[in-house]
Amino acid sequence: MAEVERVKTGVIGLDSKIEGGFVRGSVNLITGKTGTGKTSFCCSFLYQGAKEGEPGLYITTEQRVEDIKNDIKAMFGWDFDKLEKKKLIKLVSIKPIFPNKDIEDINRLIRLYILNFLSQIEKNIKEIKAKRVVVDSVSIIEMFIKDEYISRVALSSLTEKLRELGVTSLLTGTIPEASESLSGGGIIEYIVDTVIKLDFVPVAEEYKRTLNVRKMRRTNHSTMIHPFTVTKEGMKIIEL
Amino acid sequence: MAEVERVKTGVIGLDSKIEGGFVRGSVNLITGKTGTGKTSFCCSFLYQGAKEGEPGLYITTEQRVEDIKNDIKAMFGWDFDKLEKKKLIKLVSIKPIFPNKDIEDINRLIRLYILNFLSQIEKNIKEIKAKRVVVDSVSIIEMFIKDEYISRVALSSLTEKLRELGVTSLLTGTIPEASESLSGGGIIEYIVDTVIKLDFVPVAEEYKRTLNVRKMRRTNHSTMIHPFTVTKEGMKIIEL
Amino acid sequence: MAEVERVKTGVIGLDSKIEGGFVRGSVNLITGKTGTGKTSFCCSFLYQGAKEGEPGLYITTEQRVEDIKNDIKAMFGWDFDKLEKKKLIKLVSIKPIFPNKDIEDINRLIRLYILNFLSQIEKNIKEIKAKRVVVDSVSIIEMFIKDEYISRVALSSLTEKLRELGVTSLLTGTIPEASESLSGGGIIEYIVDTVIKLDFVPVAEEYKRTLNVRKMRRTNHSTMIHPFTVTKEGMKIIEL
Amino acid sequence: MAEVERVKTGVIGLDSKIEGGFVRGSVNLITGKTGTGKTSFCCSFLYQGAKEGEPGLYITTEQRVEDIKNDIKAMFGWDFDKLEKKKLIKLVSIKPIFPNKDIEDINRLIRLYILNFLSQIEKNIKEIKAKRVVVDSVSIIEMFIKDEYISRVALSSLTEKLRELGVTSLLTGTIPEASESLSGGGIIEYIVDTVIKLDFVPVAEEYKRTLNVRKMRRTNHSTMIHPFTVTKEGMKIIEL
Amino acid sequence: MAEVERVKTGVIGLDSKIEGGFVRGSVNLITGKTGTGKTSFCCSFLYQGAKEGEPGLYITTEQRVEDIKNDIKAMFGWDFDKLEKKKLIKLVSIKPIFPNKDIEDINRLIRLYILNFLSQIEKNIKEIKAKRVVVDSVSIIEMFIKDEYISRVALSSLTEKLRELGVTSLLTGTIPEASESLSGGGIIEYIVDTVIKLDFVPVAEEYKRTLNVRKMRRTNHSTMIHPFTVTKEGMKIIEL
Amino acid sequence: MAEVERVKTGVIGLDSKIEGGFVRGSVNLITGKTGTGKTSFCCSFLYQGAKEGEPGLYITTEQRVEDIKNDIKAMFGWDFDKLEKKKLIKLVSIKPIFPNKDIEDINRLIRLYILNFLSQIEKNIKEIKAKRVVVDSVSIIEMFIKDEYISRVALSSLTEKLRELGVTSLLTGTIPEASESLSGGGIIEYIVDTVIKLDFVPVAEEYKRTLNVRKMRRTNHSTMIHPFTVTKEGMKIIEL
């Protein structure tokens, strides 16, 4: 049987549930409703890399770089500024903008939008020789492209590019509050190697956080719904 | 670990559930169906500021300034007129208007609409040197902009502006009666630091009021569903 | 604490649940599915006014004036014809019409439609010096205006006008049979002071009528689901 | 209290649940999913009239006149051919047709369609001096007119015309199989005096037929869910 | 009471539940999700006719003629090739095609499509002097015509034609997997004489097949949910 | 009774539930949500063929050929590279592309798209004299074609082509996460011979994998919901 190289997730207790970690070079979706811990997961992943000397790139389309650093410092005490100076972490904000309506052809506009997005990712990966990449989140692409087929093509070109560049990557998706879906657009889950779903489950008068590996290629993964907690050491699976 | 400065919420019993209050400079969403107490929450927040000498600005797109003052006086006995004279409170009404159809390009119309809205907020913040701001509500923006992507960009420009100005702000959202969502448009919850959901829960033949902190960045917050009551002293969490 | 002047509802047993009645000058929504008793509520409200010498105006967009008078006479024995002669009641029918397609601009068409509606209300209020007004129902406006934002602006101009004129008013809304919403358009509930929901609740092989005060500004109102009955004396809350 | 003249429904056991029958001159909706007995109800109503010497008109947009006569003969043994010769019954088929696309203005097309429909009804009513009228069904009008507001205006003009002509009328509506609504378009129920809902309720391995008076103006009606059966003597409420 | 001539269904045990069979000359809908046995029902109906010397026509818009013959042979051992040579059965495939976009007027296109469909049915009926006809399925017509009103008119012209030609016919409808409706378009059920619904009901870890007569004109039919099985002798109702 | 030739599925324990395997020459749909094992099923099917000396073609529109080979090697230890050299397996990737907007007529564009897709399939089948074919997945076609009727025609032309070429084929469909349907478009299930649904069923805190044969022509198939597991020997039905 083939050897599959694994990359530690950085989430305490998760690696043992998925044969040792993410498959090296794979594209993995971390999805969940707002406030379920997607950003914490992604930062744990990059911090794990930094500890092992693997440079990591964080692309955010949602927040300001300063805010993420401050959040992480407040929650876990991790100093991303210091890691950035050591070239072990790089955070980049790619903000969505009002589309330029001078370009009339919507398909051409989308192509330019995606190409620009991919070239920024590629440039930054090469700059720090990143081995790990986070794209937080892909939902902005899903909002920008209304057509299901075009969205499929565009998201595929993103996953292809990440695979080509040989990095192990996390994409975050957002599940609308009232939905049972796996992403806003319902497409990205088909073209990634892994789907990990974070959730908020009401138990009596309280909400509990849970993690479920919905799919993972090349991996005989846990199919349990794992409760987890966010500790000062990072996200941590609660063993039952 | 980093120090996080906290701002008292003004809701009795809430601060102890969220590490002392809102994060200074954060943007926080108070959301719920009609009649669940969003305006009471916001007024408690500004009144708390006034007591501490922090000027507060109330932007309403929903009601008349006089009506809010009268509601608050009737419910809590707080005299916002007096506080307004002391420059500790300012209430401003920004009413939605019929769009000017002379401007044909819908994207340009939206940009003007948002820019005008932001500049009014900024002008008023500077005028009273506000430290606390309420925008009640953002749902009118969600209604005005039909496109999900454009709505995302516009709401982001609002939260960015509030962060830039250094104020601690509350936005109110409205949840349609028959919905399980967190806002009318399903977007604002992703770009704020905090989501507090107020609800009406049927228990036997009665409706009980509840408050749940759905997410809060940099904060190890309660995930309980807290019953609350509206007393003459303000909103108050009922300890179980 | 501020004094709030109250206006008796005319529904037997309701005033004690809402601190004495509607707030003088407020705009109140009575909503429910077809056949739940909205018209009975409104007529009770106007009849109460007439008994106290307060002239009341009934605007109907749904029924013929004669039919309402006959319904009321058959159900409660109240003679609205006699009250109309005493200038204590006036019933006016404003029927929806096929839109004039000569006016191309849909926004202008809507503005004219609303202005015409408001001016008819104002003229009639002034004519009988009405203190109480019923608009039965606002759902026709919701049907006429498809755009959510424009609908919000138009319904606001109606509530503003009623507040300006100093009358205490009831608007009726209609809840589609298969819906859990509070109105057909999902907007009017946000811009009124009060939402009272009438319902039909299946209990075993029978339907029971219930009334619930969903929100009421300036008022520490009951949050119970009250069963009610329609008696020869008018609508009546059943005490449990 | 006012006297309300009643018209016997022809359904065995129903009159005693609704103060003696339909209000003379009223417009009444009989609604239900396919196969729940709407046509049987309508034929019972006209047969009752014929027995009392009141001529009745049956407008069908759904079936062939011959098929209705044969159905009625097979189910109840009633000879509508004979009654038609005595001018006590008249059945008329108004079949929907492909719209004439030479008329470009959709509003004008609808006006012509409705006017033509109403003038056929009026002509036939006058011809046999009908006192009772059945329009089976109004769902074809709901399908023809997509706009909710225009549909409301058109259906109102139908109910107004029937009231003007002084007849007591039944309209049938159709409830889509998977729906909890009261009609296909969700509008007609608001502008009629009565809504009677026929249903198919699964009880263990069988479906039971039920009848519920959902609303009835001027009438203190039963709110029970009544099981009924179709016997050789006509539809019959089962007393519990 | 009128005599109603009956046509045996060919489904073992069904005739006794519906007063002897289908009404001669009626149009009957056999509907259900994919794989529930609609084709088996239709073939049983035609095979029964062939045994009685009544020629039967099978119009398929779904499958190849050869495949149906092979399916039937494998399931029941019935040799439709032999019956076709005896002119007792004829199978005809009318495949849907890409619409010809040279005809711009969509209404005209639909009229031609339907006219062509009807003339093929009529020609084939006359050729073998068919007494029984199956149209499997009408869902392709529902897909082709998007407008609900036009769909209603088109499907009516099909049922009218079949009634004119005096044949007893079965139409098959398809219920989408996730739906509680009676057909894809929600229209055909209103214009047929009979609706028989086939279903797949989960019972513990297994799916059971069931048959329910949802409506049947001129017939005091069973309203039970009957389990059935597919045996080598044909479809068979399981007596409870 | 006719002899039906069977083709072994390659899934351990499945053949005995479906009279020996798929019908030779049939078109079979394997459908399920993301991560339920569709690709594993398809690879087991081709591997079974290879073991019996039947060449198999794998068309993927979802993944890279290298990734599928690696997945299979990691999960089952099967060496598809070696089988490809022996001409017993061929994997071909047909990636979706941005549509060429120079072709204005959408119907013509679709025809070209489908024709190109079919000709690639045919060419590859002939090249290795394939007896078994996998098309993974058809959902990209469903996304590309918005019109239900055109989608029906296009998917039919695919199944017709596969039947003409005499191969036994598997198509994979994708069920959206929040859906109870059998495919994204709701059409393909009607035009295939078999529907096998793979699912993820929550049992307490875990998800179990299940397989259900939803329909299978010419076959008296199991209607049980079978749990299955993915072992190093391939997919395997768990006997209860």
Side-chain angles (χ1 to χ4, degrees), chain A residues 34-35 61-63 67 70-71 74 95-98 101 144 146 175 177 200 205-207 232, chain B residues 1 4 107 111 147 149-150 152 160 163 180 182 189-190 212 214-215 217-218 223-225:
Chain A
T34 192
T61 64
E62 309 275 309
Q63 289 181 266
D67 290 336
N70 286 332
D71 288 355
K95 283 291 164 101
I97 52 165
F98 277 102
K101 284 297 181 189
F144 187 68
K146 317 305 180 209
I175 304 179
E177 185 69 14
F200 243 9
E205 305 291 284
E206 196 167 356
Y207 282 94
K232 288 292 173 189
Chain B
M1 190 180 357
V4 178
N107 279 354
R111 260 196 302 256
D147 182 280
Y149 177 83
I150 305 292
R152 176 73 165 71
E160 292 279 300
R163 285 187 180 110
E180 294 297 313
L182 286 176
E189 58 262 41
Y190 296 109
N212 177 242
R214 217 14 216 88
K215 87 166 178 187
R217 286 181 184 146
R218 299 184 211 181
T223 56
M224 301 284 289
I225 299 166

Side-chain angles (χ1 to χ4, degrees), chain A residues 73-85:
Chain A
K73 210 162 191 172
M75 290 299 288
F76 306 116
W78 301 336
D79 189 340
F80 270 32
D81 266 332
K82 215 163 74 182
L83 293 173
E84 209 162 25
K85 278 175 204 132

Side-chain angles (χ1 to χ4, degrees), chain E:
Chain E
M1 189 183 354
E3 278 296 311
V4 177
E5 191 185 352
R6 298 282 165 174
V7 170
K8 282 187 187 156
T9 61
V11 174
I12 304 164
L14 179 57
D15 294 343
S16 64
K17 269 103 195 135
I18 51 174
E19 299 196 0
F22 293 119
V23 174
R24 166 119 13 231
S26 63
V27 182
N28 307 283
L29 180 72
I30 311 302
T31 193
K33 297 177 184 177
T34 193
T36 48
K38 296 184 297 288
T39 300
S40 291
F41 193 116
C42 292
C43 289
S44 299
F45 172 72
L46 293 189
Y47 187 70
Q48 177 68 30
K51 284 197 294 182
E52 300 181 18
E54 289 192 344
L57 173 67
Y58 197 117
I59 304 286
T60 177
T61 65
E62 307 276 310
Q63 289 181 265
R64 296 190 301 180
V65 162
E66 282 314 296
D67 290 335
I68 293 175
K69 288 181 187 170
N70 286 332
D71 288 355
I72 289 303
K73 209 164 192 172
M75 290 300 287
F76 306 117
W78 302 337
D79 190 340
F80 270 32
D81 267 332
K82 214 162 75 183
L83 293 172
E84 209 163 24
K85 278 175 205 133
K86 293 186 186 178
K87 306 270 186 201
L88 284 170
I89 294 276
K90 184 173 187 194
L91 290 93
V92 176
S93 175
I94 305 183
K95 282 290 164 104
I97 52 164
F98 276 102
N100 182 350
K101 284 297 182 190
D102 290 350
I103 300 164
E104 297 263 314
D105 176 355
I106 183 69
N107 279 354
R108 207 176 138 238
L109 184 63
I110 290 169
R111 260 195 303 255
L112 286 176
Y113 182 93
I114 294 295
L115 284 178
N116 174 51
F117 196 77
L118 295 188
S119 77
Q120 286 194 58
I121 292 177
E122 183 165 7
K123 181 177 74 70
N124 280 292
I125 286 176
K126 290 186 170 163
E127 190 181 312
I128 62 158
K129 297 185 172 57
K131 296 276 185 251
R132 296 174 177 229
V133 173
V134 166
V135 181
D136 178 18
S137 75
V138 296
S139 68
I140 197 74
I141 300 177
E142 294 176 314
M143 284 177 185
F144 186 68
I145 309 176
K146 318 304 181 210
D147 182 282
E148 198 176 33
Y149 176 83
I150 305 292
S151 186
R152 176 73 166 69
V153 174
L155 291 168
S156 283
S157 68
L158 169 62
T159 56
E160 293 279 300
K161 173 60 79 185
L162 291 167
R163 286 189 179 107
E164 264 175 50
L165 293 168
V167 295
T168 307
S169 55
L170 302 192
L171 313 181
T172 68
T174 51
I175 304 180
E177 184 69 14
S179 163
E180 294 298 312
S181 68
L182 285 177
S183 66
I187 291 169
I188 185 69
E189 57 264 40
Y190 295 109
I191 55 181
V192 290
D193 298 297
T194 302
V195 176
I196 290 180
K197 184 179 174 184
L198 306 183
D199 213 347
F200 242 8
V201 178
V203 176
E205 305 292 284
E206 195 167 356
Y207 283 93
K208 297 282 184 194
R209 296 167 186 278
T210 63
L211 177 155
N212 177 241
V213 183
R214 215 22 211 84
K215 86 166 178 188
M216 194 165 187
R217 286 181 184 145
R218 299 183 210 180
T219 306
N220 198 344
H221 60 83
S222 164
T223 57
M224 301 284 289
I225 299 166
H226 297 283
F228 73 89
T229 183
V230 180
T231 71
K232 288 292 172 192
E233 287 74 42
M235 283 182 67
K236 184 175 171 178
I237 302 289
I238 298 171
E239 302 292 338
L240 296 175

